[in-house]
Amino acid sequence: VISGTFETLRSQVKSESCVLTVCDSPVVIWPNKGVKATPDEITPDTLCEEIHQVYLILKKPEFKLLIKLHKLSLSVLINLSLTHHHTHYSSVKLLSHCKRFVFWCCSACERLVEALAHQLCEMEKVTLQHMKGTSLLVPEPFHFLLPEPAGLVTVVYPAGVPDSQLETQRKELHQQFELPDDRPYFRRANAYHFPNEPYRDGYLRNPHLVLTHPTLDDGKVYLVQGIYSYHHYMQDRMDDNGWGCAYRSLQTICSWFQQQGYVERPVPTHREIQQALVDVGDKQPSFVGSRQWIGSIEVQAVLNQLLGVTSKIMFVSQGSELASKGRELANHFLTEGTPVMIGGGVLTTGQIRYLILDPHYTGAEDLQVITDKGWCGWKGPDFWDQTAYYNLCLPQRPKMT
């Protein structure tokens, strides 16, 4: 029955009732008809029947199968509910303010249909592999952006089965795509996030990506690798203004390890950070619930206690010495790629610039304000106290994953 159902789905994908819509775009495609629609042809008052029933549903109104290929988000809709027994078609508010249209070639449509059919095959395999009696686990497709030439690939996992139980499958995928074993690529946290999809937790990701790199003679840019969340003062209904900056920097680092798939635990709260320091013997029990500062050494201890992550500490006796650490920092970003926490005074001289994510920001999650006001930005010599000392915490990637 399961195999027959998936075969029916594959047939429908290859039939003329299949419709592709590009998310957040006025593009409507019937890949198996060679038909496309322009904004002038479709309006909010256009009947479903007139546009080949573009907004058609699979039995349940909430069902919507999503396929994403080459970083382009597409919705796939199939007409099953509107049959010959229904003679009245309601209009669909589909498009408005359409300004552009993308033309598709037949070969691209064929590849999209083939990819979707293949994904359904993989979903069938996973469903059959993990069924127990009449109990079924929902097959969930995940999309992973791999190093070239692989690009974006789709892998299906059974819902409810933790990553720790899928290690054999992930090892096979690493071998298939000739990927190293010292970092995660196929854990759920590694799944590609399309630009127009909002994050449910509300935190901004990688605000530095909207910045323009500084211009230096013969200069090279070395950046954090992967994805992190921006944590700063006053988030999570927590008033830590004036004392919680290192806690927030630590949370940003923890988010990096979580979103790269190294750990599954959520980003720790202030209280969990304080309790970890008590557990390792660094603080007294009264420290929990206090408003006391922490620094780079404490960040190093918490990363090891909660995540099992080791860190190197780089000590700089005064800000004017930071320029001499440029190559060492560049090598860190090149080999480890983790965010660096700066504790002590506040780094740079000469022909070096530092990309700083400042946890002292107290406003809303407004990317333009954060970048325009310099809360995330490239900093030059005038930004730093040249006489203050600094401890830099450089987290290291785990070597075995």
Side-chain angles (χ1 to χ4, degrees):
V1 171
I2 293 172
S3 296
T5 301
F6 274 102
E7 180 59 37
T8 300
L9 283 172
R10 288 191 290 271
S11 298
Q12 291 163 352
V13 165
K14 297 177 181 179
S15 71
E16 291 188 352
S17 64
C18 179
V19 176
L20 303 179
T21 64
V22 179
C23 297
D24 301 317
S25 166
V27 180
V28 181
I29 311 158
W30 290 265
N32 302 309
K33 281 188 175 184
V35 177
K36 60 181 179 292
T38 66
D40 292 338
E41 294 169 349
I42 297 179
T43 70
D45 297 323
T46 302
L47 296 178
C48 295
E49 185 178 22
E50 295 175 3
I51 60 171
H52 302 279
Q53 298 156 2
V54 63
Y55 217 71
L56 303 173
I57 314 165
L58 285 172
K59 293 187 177 180
K60 293 185 178 180
E62 66 271 17
F63 184 90
K64 198 174 185 182
L65 184 59
L66 195 65
I67 177 176
K68 299 168 183 177
L69 189 64
H70 297 304
K71 304 183 185 179
L72 185 65
S73 184
L74 300 174
S75 292
V76 181
L77 305 107
I78 297 176
N79 175 17
L80 284 185
S81 60
L82 298 180
T83 67
H84 294 296
H85 299 289
H86 297 74
T87 57
H88 300 287
Y89 299 91
S90 61
S91 62
V92 176
K93 189 172 183 180
L94 182 66
L95 301 170
S96 61
H97 306 293
C98 301
K99 296 182 180 178
R100 59 179 180 168
F101 181 73
V102 180
F103 292 93
W104 293 71
C105 64
C106 293
S107 61
C109 291
E110 291 173 359
R111 291 180 63 189
L112 286 169
V113 171
E114 289 173 2
L116 181 55
H118 176 73
Q119 180 172 307
L120 289 169
C121 286
E122 294 301 308
M123 295 173 74
E124 177 187 350
K125 291 179 183 178
V126 168
T127 302
L128 295 174
Q129 179 182 354
H130 293 273
M131 68 180 296
K132 296 180 180 179
T134 58
S135 177
L136 301 177
L137 297 180
V138 176
E140 293 182 325
F142 293 87
H143 312 287
F144 300 97
L145 186 60
L146 304 182
E148 294 298 337
L152 203 61
V153 300
T154 300
V155 178
V156 179
Y157 291 138
V161 177
D163 285 342
S164 58
Q165 296 181 23
L166 299 171
E167 183 177 343
T168 299
Q169 183 177 353
R170 294 202 308 275
K171 283 184 177 179
E172 293 173 352
L173 289 167
H174 275 250
Q175 294 173 358
Q176 177 183 344
F177 292 99
E178 299 180 344
L179 297 170
D181 292 332
D182 63 348
R183 63 183 60 185
Y185 285 97
F186 293 104
R187 296 187 181 183
R188 288 180 174 90
N190 299 123
Y192 181 75
H193 192 94
F194 287 81
N196 292 333
E197 294 178 350
Y199 286 92
R200 294 180 180 179
D201 58 21
Y203 299 114
L204 291 176
R205 262 57 170 195
N206 291 31
H208 72 275
L209 293 179
V210 303
L211 300 174
T212 301
H213 296 326
T215 301
L216 297 177
D217 295 338
D218 300 320
K220 280 188 176 183
V221 176
Y222 298 88
L223 293 173
V224 61
Q225 302 172 22
I227 300 172
Y228 62 86
S229 305
Y230 178 25
H231 293 261
H232 56 79
Y233 279 168
M234 307 299 288
Q235 287 178 327
D236 315 310
R237 300 180 180 179
M238 179 71 174
D239 184 359
D240 57 349
N241 191 359
W243 61 273
C245 54
Y247 293 84
R248 298 301 188 176
S249 294
L250 173 56
Q251 288 178 331
T252 293
I253 293 173
C254 290
S255 78
W256 185 94
F257 282 97
Q258 191 273 331
Q259 292 178 76
Q260 267 48 246
Y262 285 107
V263 298
E264 294 187 33
R265 68 157 295 152
V267 172
T269 63
H270 290 54
R271 191 176 188 88
E272 289 171 337
I273 292 170
Q274 292 174 337
Q275 185 62 55
L277 289 170
V278 172
D279 292 342
V280 299
D282 184 78
K283 304 292 183 184
Q284 297 297 317
S286 59
F287 178 67
V288 178
S290 71
R291 299 167 67 90
Q292 295 182 35
W293 292 23
I294 62 173
S296 297
I297 305 301
E298 288 89 348
V299 167
Q300 179 188 36
V302 173
L303 286 173
N304 187 60
Q305 174 70 8
L306 296 184
L307 307 187
V309 169
T310 60
S311 305
K312 294 180 179 179
I313 296 294
M314 178 189 295
F315 176 75
V316 179
S317 60
Q318 54 187 11
S320 58
E321 294 181 8
L322 258 301
S324 65
K325 301 294 184 180
R327 291 188 183 277
E328 190 173 344
L329 287 170
N331 184 65
H332 168 82
F333 287 116
L334 190 63
T335 57
E336 304 295 332
T338 65
V340 172
M341 187 271 184
I342 307 169
V346 231
L347 314 165
T348 188
T349 63
Q351 288 296 94
I352 298 179
R353 298 293 182 269
Y354 293 88
L355 179 58
I356 302 300
L357 187 67
D358 195 334
H360 297 89
Y361 174 64
T362 59
E365 310 310 299
D366 189 322
L367 181 60
Q368 184 169 351
V369 171
I370 290 167
T371 54
D372 287 353
K373 299 296 185 180
W375 296 104
C376 177
W378 291 94
K379 306 301 181 181
D382 295 341
F383 185 78
W384 310 108
D385 183 345
Q386 299 299 299
T387 61
Y389 77 90
Y390 298 90
N391 288 322
L392 282 67
C393 180
L394 284 64
Q396 308 294 291
R397 286 181 184 259
K399 301 307 178 186
M400 298 297 292
T401 64

